[in-house]
Amino acid sequence: VLQAVVLFVFYGKRVNGSFAALAVLYRRSGAGAAVVDAVSFGTAHIFDHDFPHIPAAIRALPIRVLPLAPVGIALATPNPWTPADQAFVRIPGADMFHLGPGGNLIPGAPAPLPDCLLDLWAIIVAIENEAF
């Protein structure tokens, strides 16, 4: 059973080579899918005129905004973000296994994995270097 989905939205590169991006984590809940995290990242901010095109469930959250990354970063560029920036999307380890009724692991199922942290810096570096 699918428990979590990460949606990435990449806005086209601008004249100066910068781009905006949005990462959104959806998790299954009793009422269906719920947006639980949204992170604006990239080398540019999302334009105000883009916000009406973002679904209301995402706009209803406080969207985390990471410091802008520099344009034209090389593959070996170290991550400038600090741990306080939380430059990742966290997928709970429990969502990586099938959960039974009430959110309990099915008897005999292996213990859940640790949380998975999707590194947004690595994604920016790959985009900037067209390594995708």
Side-chain angles (χ1 to χ4, degrees):
V1 172
L2 187 63
Q3 291 298 119
V5 172
V6 179
L7 166 73
F8 289 97
V9 180
F10 299 101
Y11 296 88
K13 285 202 173 184
R14 299 176 183 168
V15 174
N16 67 355
S18 66
F19 70 94
L22 182 67
V24 181
L25 174 63
Y26 291 86
R27 290 184 70 201
R28 182 183 301 273
S29 69
V35 177
V36 295
D37 192 18
V39 186
S40 173
F41 70 105
T43 57
H45 292 297
I46 298 171
F47 286 134
D48 288 341
H49 66 263
D50 290 323
F51 275 96
H53 303 288
I54 297 172
I58 298 169
R59 290 193 322 262
L61 288 177
I63 296 175
R64 295 191 293 126
V65 179
L66 295 179
L68 292 179
V71 176
I73 51 181
L75 283 172
T77 303
N79 184 340
W81 293 327
T82 68
D85 292 322
Q86 297 184 27
F88 51 79
V89 174
R90 178 186 305 271
I91 302 172
D95 285 350
M96 290 185 255
F97 289 90
H98 178 74
L99 300 178
N104 299 313
L105 283 172
I106 294 175
L113 293 171
D115 292 352
C116 174
L117 303 179
L118 296 180
D119 179 6
L120 298 176
W121 178 255
I123 293 170
I124 289 175
V125 170
I127 291 170
E128 283 288 282
N129 291 277
E130 298 180 5
F132 51 88

